[in-house]
Amino acid sequence: MRLDKFLCECSGITRSEAKKKIKQGLVKVNDALAKDGAYKVDASRDNVLMDGVHLSYQEYIYYVFHKPKGCVCANYDALHDTVFSYVPMNPKEDLFTVGRLDMDTEGLLLITNDGEFSHNLLSPKKHVDKTYFALWDKPATEEDIKAFESGLEIGDDKPTKPAKLSFDKSNPTNVFITISEGRFHQVKRMSHAVGKEVLYLKRLSMGQFILEDNLALGEYREFTDKEMKYVKEYKGRHL
Ligand code: URA
């Protein structure tokens, strides 16, 4: 990538600001003053400093976000907070959410600018499991488990794929639901199909990505090295 473009991509400055930085002698490549914006940077080898600060180029960004209630999964909304009221977005980053959670749903949300990763994780062909905790208005029963296992009619052209419902008999309004699809309001509609309403909903996991206790509501963090390996696995699998 050209040096001037590299400076823009890494720091968010404009191309003309990048050119100015080079002219002012504020950019060094491998300890030598940079003179030419057209210099081809090898991001894996060259050490680029601007204003004395090392710049590293990360093509893609990946965050785990603990979504609170009250914000929508959209890049812009005239009425409500969006997830990007919590996760700052540099205009160059083009971040988006990997799938959506309803405004009143909490929990694990992945945010990235890597379209291939997002596509592969969401593709119905991949059957990536998503597990939710739900609080129902009525206690779950053994029949509900069977109904979830058989797939449910929820008003779409096809019944849902089999899903897993589990609960502890001592607290049967607290249920865990695992689905492999991502239909609109799917957990709420499946619950409704067995005569229950969802009073509270939280996503706990999506494939190998798990919401950990140490990420507070409204907080986000970058993927760990282990999670970056999952990214490679998801991207490596062909559909
Ligand atoms: N299912 C729902 O009904 N709502 C969500 O936000 C996610 C899954």
Side-chain angles (χ1 to χ4, degrees), residues 132 145 148-149 161-166 176-179 190:
Y132 294 83
I145 295 182
F148 270 65
E149 259 168 21
K161 294 229 164 72
K164 186 166 180 272
L165 171 73
S166 64
F176 294 88
I177 295 171
T178 301
I179 56 176
M190 289 180 84

Side-chain angles (χ1 to χ4, degrees), residues 100-102 105 132 179 183 185-189 201:
R100 288 174 180 208
L101 291 176
D102 298 337
T105 302
Y132 294 83
I179 56 176
R183 302 192 198 181
H185 294 330
Q186 184 164 348
V187 170
K188 291 175 186 164
R189 290 196 290 149
L201 187 60

Side-chain angles (χ1 to χ4, degrees), residues 47 86 134 159 168 210:
N47 177 26
Y86 296 84
D168 188 338
I210 292 163

Side-chain angles (χ1 to χ4, degrees), residues 62 64 209 212 221-231:
Y62 306 91
V64 174
F209 298 90
E212 285 142 357
R221 62 160 176 80
E222 287 182 6
F223 278 16
T224 59
D225 290 348
K226 193 167 152 201
E227 288 164 339
M228 287 309 298
K229 286 199 186 113
Y230 301 151
V231 171

